[in-house]
Amino acid sequence: MVMFESSIIQSTACYVKRKTESDASGHDWFHAYRVWKLTQQIVKAEGANSFSAELTALLHDIADWKENGGDDEAGPQAAKQWLDSQKVPDDLTTDICHTIRYMSFKGANTPDPTLLSLEGQCVQDADRIDAMGAIGIARCFSYTGSKGRIMHDPRRVPQTHTTFEQYKAQDNTAITHFYEKLLLLKDRMNTPTGKQIAQARHDYMEQFLAQFFSEWEGQR
Ligand code: ADP
Ligand code: NI
C-alpha cells in the first residue's frame, strides 16, 4: 500500500471510530476494528487489493439498515460521501459502495443477491466470521438483550426465513438465532481462507450449544 493510501485508511479509521463509538447494537467501533483486522488477514492470503478491501471493512456498517428504519441505501450513501471527501478514485468508490449495499445476511433461505468483487468477498467473509465463535456468541446474546428478548425458550422453533421481510420482522431468542443464521455462515463463505477460519469458529459454537443444552437440564 502506498503512503497516501495508508493515510486515507488511518483517517477513515478515525472517522468510523468517532461515528460509531456510542453504538451498543453490535455495530460499535470494535466490530469495525475486528472486521478490518480479519480482512487484512484474508486479503493477504487471497491476494486481493488491500486498500479497497480495508476501506470497505472500515465503512461497511457506518449506517446499518436495522438502525436506519430499514433503509438499505443509507450505508452506501454515507460511505460515498466520505470516500468522495477523501478523493478516493471513482471506480474504487463504486465497488466499495456496491459491496456495502449487498454484503449483509438477509435470512437462511434468502440467497445473496449479487456477485461481489474479490475484495468484497473478503470483507463479507470477515464480517460473517465476526458473527461466529466466542465473539459471535457474545454479540448474539448482547443483541438479543438490547432488543429485550429472552435467551432461550425450549418451545421456540427456529424459523427458516425465505424472504428478507420475514427475517427483519422476527422476534427470535438468542438460541434460535444460532439456527437461523450463525450455524449457516460456514457454508456461505466465499474464500478458502474464510472457510478455514469459519470452520474453527463453527466447531466452537457447536461445543458451546452442547454445553448450554446440558446445563439447561442441570447436567454437567
Ligand atoms: P451483519 O454485520 O452481517 O449485517 P448483522 O448486522 O445482521 O450482521 O448483525 C450484527 C450482530 O448481531 C451479529 O453478531 C448478529 O449475529 C447479531 N444479530 C443480528 N440479528 C440478530 C437477531 N435477530 N438475534 C440475535 N442476534 C442478532
Ligand atoms: Ni458488520
Side-chain angles (χ1 to χ4, degrees):
M1 204 183 290
V2 293
M3 213 168 65
F4 87 92
E5 291 179 339
S6 15
S7 103
I8 294 177
I9 296 283
Q10 286 316 317
S11 45
T12 303
C14 288
Y15 165 71
V16 173
K17 193 170 176 198
R18 230 177 22 247
K19 257 200 99 162
T20 57
E21 220 150 26
S22 57
D23 187 290
S25 71
H27 291 115
D28 52 301
W29 157 245
F30 291 116
H31 167 60
Y33 173 83
R34 292 187 304 264
V35 173
W36 180 28
K37 295 293 138 178
L38 276 165
T39 294
Q40 287 173 342
Q41 192 186 329
I42 297 170
V43 153
K44 203 166 158 205
E46 299 295 330
N49 178 308
S50 63
F51 179 54
S52 157
E54 288 187 35
L55 285 176
T56 312
L58 284 165
L59 291 166
H60 83 277
D61 273 333
I62 194 79
D64 189 60
W65 58 263
K66 283 189 250 41
E67 316 303 324
N68 278 282
D71 179 5
D72 277 343
E73 303 302 334
Q77 263 164 26
K80 180 170 167 30
Q81 219 169 43
W82 170 255
L83 294 167
D84 286 348
S85 80
Q86 298 302 298
K87 313 251 182 308
V88 170
D90 283 347
D91 55 335
L92 279 194
T93 297
T94 303
D95 182 57
I96 292 168
C97 294
H98 176 81
T99 297
I100 294 175
R101 170 71 179 77
Y102 291 107
M103 65 185 267
S104 183
F105 181 86
K106 302 233 161 75
N109 275 355
T110 313
D112 293 320
T114 181
L115 207 62
L116 302 177
S117 60
L118 177 59
E119 289 69 29
Q121 292 181 29
C122 294
V123 179
Q124 187 178 55
D125 282 359
D127 187 36
R128 289 178 174 179
I129 289 169
D130 198 52
M132 304 177 73
I135 296 272
I137 294 169
R139 289 180 79 209
C140 171
F141 282 86
S142 130
Y143 183 99
T144 311
S146 79
K147 297 287 170 197
R149 298 172 190 162
I150 61 171
M151 67 174 183
H152 183 47
D153 177 343
R155 295 164 301 186
R156 293 287 295 273
V157 181
Q159 304 296 309
T160 311
H161 303 106
T162 46
T163 68
F164 184 37
E165 300 315 311
Q166 286 174 357
Y167 180 68
K168 268 199 285 199
Q170 68 183 329
D171 180 21
N172 61 289
T173 67
I175 292 297
T176 65
H177 189 63
F178 281 79
Y179 301 93
E180 289 161 357
K181 174 179 174 184
L182 307 186
L183 295 172
L184 310 175
L185 293 174
K186 85 167 165 53
D187 292 329
R188 295 255 194 138
M189 290 292 137
N190 304 298
T191 67
T193 314
K195 282 193 181 90
Q196 202 183 347
I197 306 171
Q199 184 65 55
R201 294 199 185 198
H202 181 89
D203 296 346
Y204 185 87
M205 293 193 296
E206 292 276 23
Q207 270 175 36
F208 167 81
L209 287 171
Q211 177 82 21
F212 184 96
F213 292 127
S214 298
E215 291 183 10
W216 192 269
E217 295 303 329
Q219 300 154 0
R220 288 211 226 188

